[in-house]
Amino acid sequence: MVKIVLISLFTLTFASSYENNCVSCHKQLPVSIDKYFYKYLLKYSSKDDVLSAMKLYLKNPSKETTIMSGAFIRRFGVKKPTTLNSHELSKALNIYWKKYEIKNRLK
């Protein structure tokens, strides 16, 4: 029983990290958060490559490594580096992957 409670709290902590650090900012942009996922998926294809590219960008965002168009960057700028540590960022990206993963939507 204690294990279930601890696992639930652990999951909620990282889910709220995703909600608080990712979703909250993306709600302010005209492009919904799922569109970034699909852009990364089109460019990098595999789960490992997508997550690696996203993590690299989020730690050190730049015009050279963004997947967004020049017009988007001119209007909204390049995001600031994440404040999440590497472990928190990996967990948040895994939640993001699971939420939008295409394979789970195919029937």
Side-chain angles (χ1 to χ4, degrees), residues 25-43:
C25 288
H26 281 271
K27 284 183 179 179
Q28 300 169 21
L29 297 173
V31 178
S32 62
I33 197 167
D34 62 319
K35 301 302 186 254
Y36 296 91
F37 178 84
Y38 302 127
K39 283 181 170 279
Y40 270 97
L41 193 57
L42 282 171
K43 183 169 183 177

Side-chain angles (χ1 to χ4, degrees), residues 3-101:
K3 286 183 182 180
I4 293 171
V5 171
L6 290 176
I7 290 170
S8 296
L9 287 174
F10 184 74
T11 302
L12 287 174
T13 299
F14 286 111
S16 65
S17 177
Y18 166 73
E19 290 292 326
N20 293 335
N21 292 286
C22 305
V23 176
S24 62
C25 288
H26 281 271
K27 284 183 179 179
Q28 300 169 21
L29 297 173
V31 178
S32 62
I33 197 167
D34 62 319
K35 301 302 186 254
Y36 296 91
F37 178 84
Y38 302 127
K39 283 181 170 279
Y40 270 97
L41 193 57
L42 282 171
K43 183 169 183 177
Y44 295 101
S45 302
S46 75
K47 177 181 179 180
D48 290 341
D49 290 346
V50 167
L51 295 179
S52 178
M54 290 177 105
K55 190 172 188 178
L56 181 67
Y57 177 76
L58 292 169
K59 285 183 164 189
N60 189 24
S62 70
K63 288 181 183 178
E64 293 75 34
T65 58
T66 186
I67 58 164
M68 298 309 290
S69 69
F72 183 91
I73 296 301
R74 282 189 295 280
R75 183 169 179 198
F76 298 101
V78 175
K79 76 172 290 332
K80 293 182 175 138
T82 184
T83 58
L84 297 174
N85 66 40
S86 192
H87 183 68
E88 292 170 327
L89 180 57
S90 292
K91 290 291 184 184
L93 287 172
N94 281 320
I95 290 168
Y96 183 58
W97 178 267
K98 287 177 185 173
K99 185 169 179 78
Y100 296 107
E101 182 179 19

